[in-house]
């Protein structure tokens, strides 16, 4: 697990990487308005389906190739970067009763685009009563990535953030496995290449906590590190 980029596609984000986007889309599909219109979880995907913006195909931007300069990314003029059709954004969900933002204001009803703009810390409060969503999002907080937005494109992450996101993916997988499947599966040997580079002391402590969770799940770790 090194600091190499996770991927080059802007469609991948922290929520989809740890598997939290699937239960979130199911919550939207279970609303009364979505059922009335016949919307399925796939409607709330920006990778495929009829719910995404047809102009940018769910990217939220248009890619303009420049011949002698770096390529330019322009915000989609039709969806204004929200990735979805207006009728898809009419479907909203409400958060946990009494949940508030970091500025102590209550959460309004949110569309799928609004949810993707939440930070991990805000999403943990908004979905506090959704066990399946929390099980996938908590590993992001455990490795110190609670400031990232759920919909932030993975290619924009730094090397250290990408490394911790990989770790969060394994933690999410370990937390959502049943005891029987965890015992039946052999542990994985992880090799970490200087995972504390650029981290604050508090983040190093959180990283050690994430390591202990991997060990508790039956995995083994080899950590190459200069930080005593």
């Amino acid at each position: 697990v090194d600091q190499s980029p996770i991927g080059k596609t802007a469609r991948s984000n922290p929520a989809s990487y740890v598997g939290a986007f699937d239960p979130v889309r199911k919550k939207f599909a279970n609303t009364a308005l979505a059922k009335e219109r016949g919307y399925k979880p796939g409607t709330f995907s920006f990778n495929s389906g009829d719910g995404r913006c047809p102009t940018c195909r769910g990217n939220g931007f248009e890619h303009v190739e420049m011949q002698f300069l770096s390529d330019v990314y322009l915000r989609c003029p039709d969806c204004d970067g929200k990735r979805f059709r207006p009728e898809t954004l009419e479907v909203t969900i409400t958060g946990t009763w009494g949940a508030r933002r970091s500025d102590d204001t209550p959460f309004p009803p949110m569309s799928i685009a609004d949810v993707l703009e939440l930070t991990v810390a805000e999403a943990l409060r908004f979905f506090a009563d959704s066990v399946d969503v929390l099980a996938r999002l908590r590993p992001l907080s455990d490795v110190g990535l609670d400031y990232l937005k759920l919909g932030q494109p993975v290619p924009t992450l730094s090397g250290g953030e990408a490394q911790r996101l990989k770790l969060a993916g394994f933690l999410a997988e370990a937390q959502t496995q049943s005891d029987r499947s965890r015992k039946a599966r052999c542990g994985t040997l992880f090799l970490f290449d200087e995972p504390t580079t650029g981290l604050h002391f508090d983040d190093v402590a959180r990283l050690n906590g994430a390591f202990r969770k991997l060990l508790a799940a039956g995995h083994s770790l080899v950590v190459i590190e200069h930080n005593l």
Side-chain angles (χ1 to χ4, degrees):
V1 182
D2 56 17
Q3 296 190 15
S4 60
I6 293 178
K8 296 182 179 180
T9 173
R11 294 181 181 275
S12 179
N13 55 52
S16 62
Y17 191 86
V18 297
F21 201 32
D22 292 335
V24 168
R25 290 189 290 113
K26 288 178 181 177
K27 290 182 72 68
F28 278 95
N30 286 331
T31 60
L33 182 58
K35 291 179 179 179
E36 179 183 330
R37 296 181 177 180
Y39 291 170
K40 304 297 182 183
T43 307
F44 301 95
S45 170
F46 49 74
N47 289 320
S48 60
D50 299 330
R52 64 179 182 175
C53 172
T55 303
C56 63
R57 295 182 175 273
N59 281 316
F61 57 84
E62 293 180 328
H63 180 200
V64 181
E65 294 186 6
M66 307 294 285
Q67 193 166 6
F68 301 108
L69 301 172
S70 298
D71 292 353
V72 175
Y73 295 90
L74 302 176
R75 179 172 292 187
C76 176
D78 287 348
C79 68
D80 194 30
K82 294 184 177 180
R83 298 184 171 193
F84 296 92
R85 293 176 181 268
E87 53 268 30
T88 308
L89 298 178
E90 292 174 358
V91 180
T92 60
I93 59 175
T94 55
T96 302
W97 175 258
R100 291 179 173 270
R101 295 179 181 270
S102 55
D103 59 1
D104 203 36
T105 58
F107 287 103
M110 292 199 158
S111 67
I112 185 67
D114 296 329
V115 168
L116 289 174
E117 284 296 310
L118 292 175
T119 65
V120 173
E122 290 174 332
L124 287 173
R125 292 193 290 269
F126 186 81
F127 294 106
D129 58 353
S130 302
V131 178
D132 49 352
V133 179
L134 289 183
R136 295 289 185 175
L137 288 182
R138 275 205 187 100
L140 290 171
S141 179
D142 291 340
V143 297
L145 294 178
D146 45 8
Y147 59 88
L148 292 182
K149 289 185 178 181
L150 298 187
Q152 182 171 340
V154 163
T156 65
L157 302 182
S158 68
E161 289 171 337
Q163 189 175 28
R164 283 185 284 165
L165 182 57
K166 295 175 191 177
L167 175 56
F170 286 111
L171 286 173
E173 183 181 356
Q175 289 187 11
T176 54
Q177 285 178 340
S178 64
D179 291 337
R180 180 178 299 179
S181 62
R182 192 180 297 120
K183 290 178 181 178
R185 181 183 175 186
C186 293
T188 301
L189 175 62
F190 291 89
L191 290 94
F192 288 93
D193 182 14
E194 300 193 40
T196 68
T197 301
L199 295 189
H200 188 271
F201 291 119
D202 289 340
D203 289 325
V204 174
R206 298 174 78 171
L207 185 65
N208 282 327
F211 284 165
R212 285 191 286 272
K213 290 185 178 181
L214 281 179
L215 293 173
H219 302 300
S220 300
L221 309 180
V222 175
V223 183
I224 298 92
E225 184 59 77
H226 290 100
N227 188 333
L228 296 180

